Amino acid sequence: MAKQKVQHYSGIGGQAVLEGIMMKNGSMVAVGVRKPDRQIEVEIDEHHAVLENTVWTKLPFVRGFFVFLDSLILGIRSLNFSSSFYDEDDITSRSRKEEEKRKNKDKAVMAVTTVLSLVIAVFLFMILPYLLTSLLEGFLRNKSVLSLIEGLIRIAIFILYLVGISMMKDIRRLFQYHGAEHKCINCIERGKPLTVHYVMDSRRFHKRCGTSFLFLVMLVSVVLFFFIRVNSPFLRILFRILLIPVISGISYEIIRLAGRSSSTFVSILSAPGLWLQRITTREPDASMCEVAIAAVEAVFDWRAYLVREFGYDERELQEMDRG
């Protein structure tokens, strides 16, 4: 029986959606949803990233921005699919033509939502902290102190935003599915069979989480804006926008390293993001873990993974499953 306890990188990632989970493994994507009739529906599709197989998506410190953009697009698409089961209209009553119109409308809505989400995020987390800090320039002349205050305001806005949305009933349920997603990934990466028992027993925090990535974006921006300074207020705002690809690129490399390393330095670097996951994840129930398992199994052969990475054989897996 395998005795290794070190977490192994699996390459699988995901996201919580409305009453479900999206799981991605390479180019394969599965969205599992608990429908109103309590049955689990799983859609499997192939997803090709933005500028896939180009030099931009392979360059370290550059690829991160495109990965972030692609994650946003895929996330909104998955949310649209999951929400379609909870539309007020009866889906079965729609004609094929009406369904095609709805899909085209969804694509347009997804494009607008993606752009709008980016604009709001840039204003809320990049421009607003600068504008608030600029009000203190008449009282504080030290540029270094002002840069640190701006960074603290940015982090505070981010945390308050997470706390605020976590109070919403629907978001709390979404965060439970987020916890189920993490538990599934931790379960297989810790060498356990993907069953409800072992998934429920796994941790709901994961170093590769999007929450950790976004918090790293906040920290990296503090460092960059501390050293990169200009006098013109217009250029300050412009630089905060233009440096977003650089900030996300650096943050991506750090979170990528965190997913593959268990060193003390990486653990310290990951600690704030893991702490924030206490806000963005909740303990799921067994039915939510069932949905997450269905999504994982649609795109990932976890049995072959455990045999390859942890040295199990089929008999051992069957014994653990029964246990």
Side-chain angles (χ1 to χ4, degrees):
M1 183 173 179
K3 297 181 180 180
Q4 302 178 51
K5 294 185 178 180
V6 178
Q7 189 161 353
H8 290 211
Y9 176 71
S10 67
I12 190 171
Q15 174 188 307
V17 297
L18 181 63
E19 290 301 322
I21 302 284
M22 179 272 288
M23 285 292 185
K24 184 175 184 294
N25 181 30
S27 62
M28 298 306 298
V29 176
V31 183
V33 178
R34 178 76 70 177
K35 298 190 297 182
D37 64 4
R38 307 309 298 161
Q39 297 299 309
I40 298 175
E41 176 86 11
V42 179
E43 181 189 62
I44 306 172
D45 198 3
E46 196 168 354
H47 176 76
H48 296 284
V50 177
L51 301 180
E52 188 176 50
N53 296 324
T54 65
V55 65
W56 303 107
T57 56
K58 297 177 182 179
L59 286 175
F61 301 105
V62 174
R63 59 191 173 189
F65 175 71
F66 297 103
V67 171
F68 168 70
L69 185 61
D70 182 63
S71 297
L72 182 61
I73 294 170
L74 180 58
I76 293 174
R77 193 187 85 178
S78 301
L79 279 169
N80 286 340
F81 170 75
S82 64
S83 64
S84 68
F85 292 101
Y86 292 85
D87 286 345
E88 292 182 1
D89 297 332
D90 183 5
I91 297 174
T92 59
S93 66
R94 294 173 182 160
S95 66
R96 184 175 297 179
K97 188 175 181 179
E98 288 174 334
E99 187 66 17
E100 190 64 32
K101 286 182 179 179
R102 187 189 68 82
K103 288 182 179 179
N104 291 333
K105 182 181 177 181
D106 286 346
K107 290 179 181 179
V109 170
M110 184 178 72
V112 173
T113 303
T114 301
V115 173
L116 189 60
S117 299
L118 286 172
V119 171
I120 293 174
V122 169
F123 174 78
L124 193 61
F125 302 120
M126 291 297 172
I127 299 178
L128 181 59
Y130 164 72
L131 294 176
L132 293 176
T133 305
S134 65
L135 298 176
L136 302 175
E137 289 183 350
F139 306 96
L140 292 173
R141 297 295 182 182
N142 191 308
K143 299 295 184 182
S144 297
V145 173
L146 286 171
S147 293
L148 290 176
I149 291 175
E150 180 186 343
L152 291 175
I153 291 175
R154 181 174 295 110
I155 292 173
I157 290 175
F158 179 61
I159 294 175
L160 288 173
Y161 170 79
L162 294 179
V163 171
I165 64 173
S166 70
M167 295 179 181
M168 302 167 62
K169 182 180 178 180
D170 290 342
I171 297 298
R172 286 200 300 270
R173 191 161 178 83
L174 186 75
F175 285 172
Q176 283 184 279
Y177 276 104
H178 190 192
E181 173 223 330
H182 284 183
K183 280 174 172 284
C184 272
I185 297 174
N186 278 323
C187 180
I188 55 179
E189 290 188 342
R190 290 288 182 181
K192 302 296 183 182
L194 197 63
T195 65
V196 173
H197 168 74
Y198 286 110
V199 169
M200 290 287 287
D201 198 43
S202 299
R203 278 167 52 89
R204 76 174 199 262
F205 313 119
H206 199 284
K207 289 189 290 186
R208 296 201 315 272
C209 174
T211 304
S212 297
F213 170 77
L214 291 175
F215 187 74
L216 281 172
V217 167
M218 303 295 125
L219 290 180
V220 172
S221 69
V222 172
V223 176
L224 285 185
F225 296 153
F226 183 84
F227 291 104
I228 301 176
R229 301 175 188 173
V230 290
N231 293 324
S232 168
F234 171 76
L235 289 179
R236 291 176 191 171
I237 293 176
L238 184 61
F239 268 108
R240 277 153 179 76
I241 297 173
L242 294 179
L243 285 174
I244 289 174
V246 177
I247 294 169
S248 58
I250 295 172
S251 302
Y252 172 76
E253 298 303 325
I254 296 173
I255 204 75
R256 192 170 183 267
L257 174 65
R260 291 168 166 80
S261 173
S262 299
S263 68
T264 302
F265 173 73
V266 169
S267 297
I268 293 173
L269 204 59
S270 302
L274 291 173
W275 180 83
L276 276 179
Q277 289 176 41
R278 297 181 182 277
I279 302 174
T280 63
T281 65
R282 293 286 188 271
E283 284 295 332
D285 59 35
S287 68
M288 294 173 175
C289 291
E290 289 174 353
V291 177
I293 290 171
V296 172
E297 291 186 327
V299 294
F300 187 78
D301 188 347
W302 60 267
R303 289 180 176 82
Y305 169 81
L306 291 185
V307 170
R308 181 179 69 254
E309 296 291 329
F310 292 89
Y312 288 107
D313 58 39
E314 287 297 330
R315 181 183 56 83
E316 290 173 328
L317 289 176
Q318 290 173 3
E319 289 178 356
M320 295 180 72
D321 195 358
R322 288 194 298 267

